[in-house]
Amino acid sequence: MPAKRPPIPLSRERIIDAALHIADGQGLRRLTMRRLGDALQVEAMAIYHHLPRGKDALMDALAEHVTTVHVEPGESWQESARAWCRASRAALREHPGVLALALTKPPRGRAAIAIREQTDQLADAGLADAAGAVRALRAYVFGAVAVEVQQSGWAEPSGDENEPWRPPSQGGGSPGADTDFEYGLDALLAGLGRR
């Protein structure tokens, strides 16, 4: 008789990964502590050891996870800004189930640090109003991704279980989404450069 495998230890990272899977596959409304506990094969109360504030802490952690982006500084502020916008878009498109949290939760923890880092990169590269630029870039990325998710049909799955939904990052979005995103980003960067 083969030996039983020891259970995988519960960790904050494992909880967040399971929560993202539920939110992306079933929607944020279906993410409950009980359903999360079932997915992790633990009692829901065990999650509170890693997230003492419960669901509020989980929602904050999910928003932080999808909005924390780090990029290496480019040769110009435009290159840095472009890299940051592309990386942010990719992270948000990968987890559309938590886009509403990203849009409504203020940046905290690692996300706030990443925003300060981006602001410093742009300022160090010579952009006069780096803080204003980061606010404009974040607004653009979040808005662009919200439109992509809306157009992808994520919020209204077909109901055909044989046709699984694919996030925009895996070809589930509009065919022109990349072109549209780059066009808008070019225009925004040009405008920021004239300020």
Side-chain angles (χ1 to χ4, degrees):
M1 175 175 212
K4 282 188 175 180
R5 282 186 172 168
I8 300 171
L10 194 59
S11 67
R12 182 180 173 91
E13 293 76 25
R14 194 166 155 238
I15 292 167
I16 291 170
D17 286 345
L20 287 169
H21 183 75
I22 293 168
D24 290 338
Q26 302 175 29
L28 200 54
R29 289 185 188 152
R30 305 267 307 161
L31 176 59
T32 64
M33 297 305 266
R34 182 180 206 163
R35 185 168 278 121
L36 182 57
D38 290 345
L40 293 164
Q41 297 179 335
V42 299
E43 292 293 326
M45 292 307 292
I47 297 167
Y48 288 86
H49 176 72
H50 298 277
L51 299 167
R53 291 187 304 116
K55 193 157 183 186
D56 287 340
L58 178 62
M59 297 299 117
D60 289 344
L62 293 175
E64 181 180 337
H65 180 82
V66 298
T67 59
T68 300
V69 174
H70 299 280
V71 296
E72 293 299 317
E75 301 216 1
S76 67
W77 70 262
Q78 292 93 335
E79 282 183 29
S80 293
R82 188 176 300 281
W84 181 84
C85 287
R86 288 174 176 162
S88 294
R89 177 180 178 236
L92 291 167
R93 290 175 68 190
E94 190 64 30
H95 298 292
V98 295
L99 179 60
L101 294 175
L103 292 169
T104 58
K105 294 269 185 189
R108 292 191 176 118
R110 295 178 309 141
I113 292 168
I115 290 170
R116 278 194 298 275
E117 180 181 283
Q118 179 64 23
T119 303
D120 292 345
Q121 283 179 3
L122 297 182
D124 292 347
L127 186 59
D129 183 13
V134 168
R135 285 191 300 275
L137 292 165
R138 282 176 51 86
Y140 173 68
V141 170
F142 284 26
V145 173
V147 169
E148 286 182 58
V149 169
Q150 178 189 44
Q151 291 176 346
S152 76
W154 178 83
E156 298 172 11
S158 66
D160 183 359
E161 293 177 15
N162 296 323
E163 183 70 32
W165 178 84
R166 294 180 305 162
S169 63
Q170 297 173 7
S174 166
D178 292 340
T179 303
D180 293 346
F181 180 80
E182 292 297 328
Y183 179 78
L185 183 55
D186 288 343
L188 179 55
L189 292 175
L192 291 171
R194 289 193 288 269
R195 290 189 65 168

